[in-house]
Amino acid sequence: MRKILVVGSGQSGLQLALGLQSHGYDVTVLSARTPEEVYSGRVMSTQCMFDTALGHERDLGVNFWDNDAPRIEGLNVAVAGEGKPMIEWVGWLDGPAQSVDQRVKMAGWMEAFENRGGNLVIHGVTVSDLDRFVNLYDLVVVAAGRGELVELFGRDASRSPYTEPQRSLAVSYVRGMGPRPEHLRADAVRITLIPGVGELFIIPALTTSGPCDILFFEGIPGGPLDSFADLRDPGEHLHRTLELIREFVPWEYDRYRDAELTDAHGTLQGRFAPTVRHPVGTLPSGGTVLGMADVVVANDPIVGQGSNNASKCASIYLNRILEHGDRPFDTEFMQRTFDAFWEDVQYSTNWSNAMLQPPPPHVLELIGAGMKHQALCDRFANGFNNPKDLFDWFMDPEKAKAYLAELEANPTAV
């Protein structure tokens, strides 16, 4: 029986571990925290997972929250004007999306992994630890996206256009909001672009205390939304969030004026530079480890692809490991496995990086055309599930022009 060590207990690491476990592999997961510590700790992310990524969870039988999480059926896109949206439309998804607080999901998956016979070890891992572990396992996969372990994987400058953070991030998990906006027939992620300032995302989600909304600001550094770094009190964090909503997205304010945090750990703020790293990490002893998901492809969350990419990475790595059989997991295997992931993730990475810049004229034209063409709105919404499709019309000026001409000639064209 092949022995595999997974370092990290997030979306990608646990999903991979559960998958390998279901195929009879001897899997050990190293986590810095117990399930109880994860569940009662600070929120770790925003997340909205779309149909393809959720399908990988269904395939493993670990979609434990389908009956409890809000069923997200669309994306409401708006461009802020003076006190009201200049542009607003809704695109509907072909398959529902879902957002589950990672505290809930990761604690649940850790318990499921143990209950199914997996070896969960609570241990903070250093590079020197990996140097000891690498000879005890057939393969070591690093899925912990922070700290010194990430530095094992060198930055790929050819795929990393930014060296500095492009957004300041501020998150609040809230409850006690008003009813859903009348123009939405179902739960939807609401995205408001605030020109020259940043973006507000509102995501229906499931947290430790039940359904909630996630309020998520992405602020251009140095701008008015970049104002959370000095806050340590969660209540002050929420107060500032609501004040900024009242100033820049006032039509959303009434729904949230009486909102409260879901719990004392329901806020998060920070920033990082989007970075792609080389997938093979070399230890001081010469041993090698394989990086996965946001260890090697860390995108800004502006288009909500992080947890989706993590799920897709886990699925691709699982299939590659299974196909590899009893052969050694050498550096050639590691590189080819990452290359298969990059073939998929390159589209969301390039899209994320492009959306951090002011929108070019053809994108503005497409967003405006959403007021007229429902097919465009729906296609954009489903691009979050399949970012590759966006490169056939959204990301290229000439293809955008041709698509708009096609819509004018046949408004029902997809």
Side-chain angles (χ1 to χ4, degrees), residues 75-76 90 92 180-190:
L75 274 73
N76 185 148
V90 182
W92 299 106
R180 177 196 302 148
E182 292 182 2
H183 67 281
L184 293 180
R185 70 184 189 215
D187 278 325
V189 173
R190 301 202 297 289

Side-chain angles (χ1 to χ4, degrees), residues 6-284:
V6 177
V7 180
S9 55
Q11 174 78 40
S12 64
L14 284 172
Q15 185 180 317
L16 176 62
L18 287 159
L20 290 169
Q21 182 184 56
S22 71
H23 287 275
Y25 283 68
D26 181 352
V27 186
T28 297
V29 171
L30 292 182
S31 172
R33 295 186 293 168
T34 67
E36 295 76 18
E37 289 170 337
V38 170
Y39 191 87
S40 62
R42 183 167 298 281
V43 295
M44 297 181 281
S45 68
T46 62
Q47 62 284 310
C48 183
M49 295 187 67
F50 296 90
D51 191 52
T52 297
L54 293 174
H56 298 316
E57 297 183 2
R58 292 190 291 266
D59 290 343
L60 298 177
V62 294
N63 53 322
F64 302 145
W65 300 277
D66 284 358
N67 294 328
D68 300 315
R71 181 183 172 93
I72 298 172
E73 297 190 4
L75 274 73
N76 185 148
V77 176
V79 179
E82 291 295 329
K84 61 181 182 180
M86 292 189 295
I87 295 169
E88 186 172 18
W89 44 260
V90 182
W92 299 106
L93 295 165
D94 292 338
Q98 182 185 102
S99 176
V100 178
D101 184 339
Q102 289 202 344
R103 296 177 298 180
V104 174
K105 180 182 283 189
M106 300 315 141
W109 278 3
M110 290 165 75
E111 291 174 353
F113 176 72
E114 280 197 296
N115 291 338
R116 296 176 181 184
N119 185 26
L120 177 67
V121 177
I122 309 304
H123 181 67
V125 182
T126 66
V127 170
S128 60
D129 291 327
L130 286 188
D131 241 346
R132 294 197 304 273
F133 295 148
V134 72
N135 294 319
L136 303 177
Y137 295 88
D138 296 299
L139 174 65
V140 175
V141 181
V142 178
R146 297 180 179 85
E148 69 172 21
L149 298 188
V150 178
E151 300 307 315
L152 287 170
F153 306 93
R155 178 175 178 269
D156 185 342
S158 68
R159 293 169 172 169
S160 304
Y162 301 115
T163 58
E164 299 293 334
Q166 299 299 299
R167 290 292 188 274
S168 170
L169 314 175
V171 175
S172 300
Y173 279 55
V174 300
R175 62 189 175 194
M177 49 276 184
R180 177 196 302 148
E182 292 182 2
H183 67 281
L184 293 180
R185 70 184 189 215
D187 278 325
V189 173
R190 301 202 297 289
I191 304 170
T192 302
L193 311 178
I194 311 168
V197 176
E199 300 81 23
L200 171 66
F201 301 85
I202 301 176
I203 307 169
L206 177 72
T207 188
T208 55
S209 57
C212 70
D213 274 5
I214 301 172
L215 306 178
F216 174 32
F217 270 125
E218 287 230 352
I220 294 173
L225 302 184
D226 183 9
S227 61
F228 290 85
D230 63 326
L231 300 181
R232 296 294 178 267
D233 180 78
E236 292 180 4
H237 182 112
L238 176 60
H239 177 73
R240 185 161 297 175
T241 297
L242 295 178
E243 288 298 298
L244 290 168
I245 290 176
R246 181 163 63 177
E247 180 177 357
F248 292 102
V249 198
W251 60 92
E252 295 281 13
Y253 179 73
D254 281 346
R255 185 168 188 242
Y256 294 98
R257 64 166 66 242
D258 297 321
E260 61 182 13
L261 292 174
T262 58
D263 61 277
H265 302 298
T267 62
L268 182 68
Q269 65 88 20
R271 66 186 72 202
F272 65 92
T275 305
V276 177
R277 295 179 179 275
H278 297 289
V280 180
T282 302
L283 298 166

